[in-house]
Amino acid sequence: MQRTVLVLNSGSSSVKYSLVQPESGVSVANGIIERIGDDHSLARLEFGGLKVERERSVADHEAALRLTFDLFAEVGGHLGTLGLVAVGHRVVHGGRDLYQPTLIDDAFVAKIDALSALAPLHNPPAVLGIEVARRILPDVPHVAVFDTAFFHDLPEMAATYAIDREVAQRWQIRRYGFHGTSHEYVSQQAAKFLDVPLSQLNQIVLHLGNGASASAIAGGRPVDTSMGMTPMEGLVMGTRSGDIDPGLVFYLARTAKIPVEEIESMLNRRSGVRGLAGVNDFRELHKAIDAGSSDARLAYEVYIHRLRKYIGAYLAVLGDTHAITFTAGVGENDAHVRRDALTGLAPLGVEIDEHLNDSPARSARVISAENSPTKVLVIPTDEELAIARACAAVVDPGDADGE
Ligand code: ADP
C-alpha cells in the first residue's frame, strides 16, 4: 500500500486537510471544516470521487477533527487503513530558530507556542491543531513544517529593517517571509519544467492567492521576498493591506483612538481588495468591474500597480532574470492579472504571448512570447504535497521524495 500523510492547516476558525501520497504525489482526499465554533459549521470532504458535506454545530477544533475522521469512515476509509505514516502540520511562524521540518514532542509544541507573541494570529491555532491531532492520533508521528523556513537564510540586507538595532534584536524583529513552502516548491518545479538546473536559474515567483507574496530567487536561494515580520507586508491581498506607511497606525491609534487590536484586525481582514471593493474573490471583482463599479476598478488598479512595483524591484535585485512564475488561485487562473502585471515590460526583457496567456489549461505552462528573454510561466502550487514530502523524509529519511 502507498504511504499517506495527513496534512493539516489549522486556522482560528477553520481546519483544511489533505491526505497525500508523498511518493506518487496523488491527493487521496481533501477537505475543510469552516466556521468552527458556529452553530452552522460546514464540513466538506472529497474522497475517491465522492463529495460529502455536513452543516452542523462544531464547537471546537477537537470536534472538527473528530467529525472529519467520522466523514472518512463514512465514505469507506478509516484513516488507519489508508497507509497513514505521519500527520504534517503547517505552522506559519518558526521565528529565528525553527525552520527544519521537525518531529513534534511536548517540548517542541512549547517552542511553537512560545512564538505566539510574534505571530498572535497564526501560531495559536496551529498549536491547538497540533494538540488536538496528537490526542486523536497518538500512534502516528506528527511533524511541523514552517511557512517561514525557506526564507530562513534570506540575506541580511533583505531581512533587516532599518530600525534601532538593539530593539530589533531584543524583540526578534526581522523580515521572516511566508508562503515559503509554495515559493520553494514552485521554484523547483519551474527549474524542472524549463529543464535548467535550479542552481543556474534567477527567478521571480508570484504567489497570488487570497494571501499574496512575491519572491526573488537566485540559484534556488531566496534573495528577497515581499512579506516581512508578519504576512501583512508587501503586495495588496484579498483582505490584507500589504505595504502601508506605519505612520497611519500611530495616527489611527492616537488621533482616531481606535484600539490597536481593531487596527490590526482592519489591516488583516477588512483591507486589501476587500477593503477597497467589498469583495476579495477576483471572480467577483471582475464581475463588479464589468458592472461598472469604480471602487472595484480602483481596487484592481491598486493591486496591479503594487504587483508591478515588486516585479520591477525584483528584476533589479536579480539583474538577469530567467523566469517569472505565477502561482496560487489568482496567479494560476486570472489571465487579466497576469497580462496587466507584465504589459509594457518588453524593454526589460519580459513579453507575454496573449494567446498562450488566455489558454484555460490547468497544468504547468509557458505564457511568454517565443523571443522573450525572460520566460513567463504558470505553475500550479501544491503546498500539501511539499509538506507531505517533507514529513515523509522526517519519519523515514531513507524512503522519501517520489521525484
Ligand atoms: P488561499 O490558499 O490563500 O486561500 P488560493 O490560492 O486558494 O488562496 O486562492 C484563492 C483566490 O483565488 C480566490 O479568493 C480568488 O480570488 C482566486 N481565484 C480562484 N479561482 C479563480 C478564477 N477562476 N479566476 C480568478 N480568480 C480566481
Side-chain angles (χ1 to χ4, degrees), residues 154-168:
L154 210 55
E156 265 198 285
M157 64 182 159
T160 305
Y161 288 112
I163 63 167
D164 183 306
R165 197 145 173 75
E166 270 177 40
V167 171

Side-chain angles (χ1 to χ4, degrees), residues 126-160:
V127 169
L128 191 58
I130 290 169
E131 284 174 338
V132 167
R134 287 180 78 213
R135 242 186 341 260
I136 300 181
L137 295 168
D139 301 327
V140 185
H142 291 248
V143 177
V145 177
F146 296 94
D147 217 26
T148 43
F150 183 53
F151 300 114
H152 178 256
D153 293 325
L154 210 55
E156 265 198 285
M157 64 182 159
T160 305

Side-chain angles (χ1 to χ4, degrees), residues 16 179 207-211 280-283 286 328-330 333-334 383:
K16 278 193 207 164
H179 291 148
H207 175 110
L208 310 178
N210 202 18
N280 57 289
D281 190 304
F282 270 66
R283 288 161 289 197
H286 286 300
V330 177
N333 295 300
D334 197 320
E383 288 162 285

Side-chain angles (χ1 to χ4, degrees), residues 12-17 31-44 53-58 64 67-68:
S12 55
S13 65
S14 71
V15 177
K16 278 193 207 164
Y17 59 90
I32 186 167
I33 308 109
E34 291 172 283
R35 304 197 295 260
I36 296 172
D38 193 292
D39 281 345
H40 302 281
S41 313
L42 189 66
R44 266 183 272 143
E53 201 169 293
R54 294 277 179 283
E55 194 182 302
R56 65 175 63 151
S57 166
V58 175
L67 173 59
T68 299

Side-chain angles (χ1 to χ4, degrees), residues 7-219:
V7 178
L8 293 180
N9 184 353
S10 305
S12 55
S13 65
S14 71
V15 177
K16 278 193 207 164
Y17 59 90
S18 242
L19 189 68
V20 182
Q21 294 175 343
E23 279 81 21
S24 70
V26 169
S27 171
V28 179
N30 63 77
I32 186 167
I33 308 109
E34 291 172 283
R35 304 197 295 260
I36 296 172
D38 193 292
D39 281 345
H40 302 281
S41 313
L42 189 66
R44 266 183 272 143
L45 168 67
E46 276 192 56
F47 187 168
L50 289 171
K51 286 189 188 178
V52 203
E53 201 169 293
R54 294 277 179 283
E55 194 182 302
R56 65 175 63 151
S57 166
V58 175
D60 52 25
H61 283 65
E62 174 136 10
L65 278 191
R66 290 201 187 278
L67 173 59
T68 299
F69 298 150
D70 289 348
L71 290 183
F72 266 102
E74 203 176 301
V75 294
H78 186 274
L79 270 178
T81 64
L82 294 169
L84 189 68
V85 293
V87 180
H89 295 269
R90 175 179 182 231
V91 181
V92 169
H93 215 308
R96 262 189 319 214
D97 302 325
L98 311 184
Y99 53 96
Q100 304 286 8
T102 304
L103 209 54
I104 299 173
D105 56 15
D106 290 346
F108 201 73
V109 177
K111 282 187 186 172
I112 298 172
D113 199 22
L115 291 168
S116 291
L118 209 51
L121 303 180
H122 297 99
N123 277 29
V127 169
L128 191 58
I130 290 169
E131 284 174 338
V132 167
R134 287 180 78 213
R135 242 186 341 260
I136 300 181
L137 295 168
D139 301 327
V140 185
H142 291 248
V143 177
V145 177
F146 296 94
D147 217 26
T148 43
F150 183 53
F151 300 114
H152 178 256
D153 293 325
L154 210 55
E156 265 198 285
M157 64 182 159
T160 305
Y161 288 112
I163 63 167
D164 183 306
R165 197 145 173 75
E166 270 177 40
V167 171
Q169 274 169 352
R170 172 153 180 232
W171 293 98
Q172 302 186 41
I173 295 171
R174 58 159 270 186
R175 305 190 61 256
Y176 289 98
F178 299 86
H179 291 148
T181 307
S182 178
H183 285 280
E184 182 173 27
Y185 175 81
V186 169
S187 56
Q188 289 167 347
Q189 294 302 112
K192 278 184 192 149
F193 184 81
L194 292 171
D195 201 17
V196 175
L198 187 59
S199 59
Q200 290 173 22
L201 208 57
N202 286 343
Q203 44 179 329
I204 296 173
V205 175
L206 303 168
H207 175 110
L208 310 178
N210 202 18
S213 59
S215 66
I217 301 172

